[in-house]
Amino acid sequence: MNNKWDESYNIEKYRYGEAPNLFFKQIIDTLPIGKILLPADGEGRNGVYAATRGWNVDAFDQSQQAKEKALRLAQKNSVNISFKVIDFEDISENYIVDSYDVIALTYVHLPEQLKAKYHRSLLPFLKIGGHIIIEGFSKEHVKHQQQNPLAGGPPHVEMMYSKEEILYIFESLKIEFLEEVEVELAEGIGHNGKASVIRFIGEKI
């Protein structure tokens, strides 16, 4: 259990809202329905949305509080999701290799020394032809954080993404889409205002 995230999620409202991330929704809506894994899924907004679309959803997070809110959101939307309280180190003990059509990470920001290791640790669980989907803050987002405390994002620029990092981490994948773009976020109380983000889709070949 992660006390920092338990404290963050220990509020009545959903910190990042109940609606899915827009990029995640846009891509999920275009893919054939299958099985999806959502690491660090927080309060479940993306996992629950995928389930409403018919996806078989597995999700995990470090926070017990996140799990409880995710399951409440699933119940509210009359869907079922499987949600575990684990860390990236526990993936191999909890999930089956070659079993997911999609693995999606939305604003999952990891310490620099673990970033490549933890992202690559997901790849064995993706089927051939399966997709990794990512949206996260780019290193350019620091300027927006300085101007707007409500913009959100990790406390250290090293935890944010660059295109070069994505290409390095996922060098074994076919790059289907990679962009750095300025967006206007309105996701609960956690992400509000102008942001610089990296969006990525890669296919396992």
Side-chain angles (χ1 to χ4, degrees):
M1 192 183 305
N2 186 294
N3 289 332
K4 173 199 166 191
W5 286 109
D6 278 334
E7 290 173 10
S8 180
Y9 293 136
N10 190 23
I11 56 176
E12 185 176 347
K13 291 183 178 180
Y14 282 71
R15 179 162 292 279
Y16 302 104
E18 298 182 23
N21 170 262
L22 292 178
F23 180 66
F24 173 81
K25 177 182 184 299
Q26 175 189 344
I27 303 307
I28 285 296
D29 286 352
T30 67
L31 293 175
I33 293 169
K35 191 171 185 181
I36 186 170
L37 176 63
L38 295 159
D41 195 38
E43 298 159 304
R45 60 191 178 117
N46 291 329
V48 168
Y49 176 75
T52 68
R53 298 285 296 175
W55 288 76
N56 183 338
V57 176
D58 284 340
F60 70 84
D61 198 274
Q62 295 177 328
S63 166
Q64 178 67 33
Q65 188 72 37
K67 175 182 177 178
E68 291 171 7
K69 292 178 80 171
L71 294 180
R72 286 203 299 271
L73 189 61
Q75 185 178 35
K76 178 178 177 180
N77 285 270
S78 302
V79 294
N80 292 309
I81 61 173
S82 172
F83 198 111
K84 298 184 179 184
V85 180
I86 62 170
D87 200 354
F88 279 83
E89 298 282 1
D90 308 313
I91 293 173
S92 61
E93 302 164 17
N94 285 274
Y95 300 110
I96 300 170
V97 297
D98 301 321
S99 59
Y100 293 97
D101 301 286
V102 170
I103 299 176
L105 301 98
T106 302
Y107 297 104
V108 178
H109 294 280
L110 301 166
E112 184 178 26
Q113 68 272 21
L114 298 173
K115 193 184 293 185
K117 174 187 174 183
Y118 281 176
H119 281 83
R120 287 175 176 168
S121 73
L122 299 169
L123 298 180
F125 300 92
L126 197 62
K127 295 178 183 177
I128 297 296
H131 293 87
I132 291 270
I133 302 170
I134 290 176
E135 178 170 300
F137 292 110
S138 81
K139 296 183 187 298
E140 292 296 314
H141 182 64
V142 171
K143 64 186 181 188
H144 298 303
Q145 286 181 315
Q146 293 168 346
Q147 295 167 3
N148 173 21
L150 301 179
H156 306 294
V157 66
E158 294 82 10
M159 299 175 74
M160 301 179 193
Y161 294 98
S162 68
K163 283 185 175 181
E164 292 74 20
E165 278 183 324
I166 292 289
L167 291 172
Y168 167 71
I169 292 170
F170 297 109
E171 59 187 356
S172 66
L173 300 184
K174 175 185 176 184
I175 309 301
E176 292 196 344
F177 183 80
L178 177 60
E179 72 171 4
E180 183 172 355
V181 64
E182 301 269 313
V183 298
E184 193 76 25
L185 293 179
E187 299 185 323
I189 61 173
H191 294 157
N192 277 281
K194 190 172 287 186
S196 181
V197 303
I198 295 283
R199 289 171 167 173
F200 168 69
I201 306 170
E203 180 185 359
K204 186 174 180 178
I205 55 175

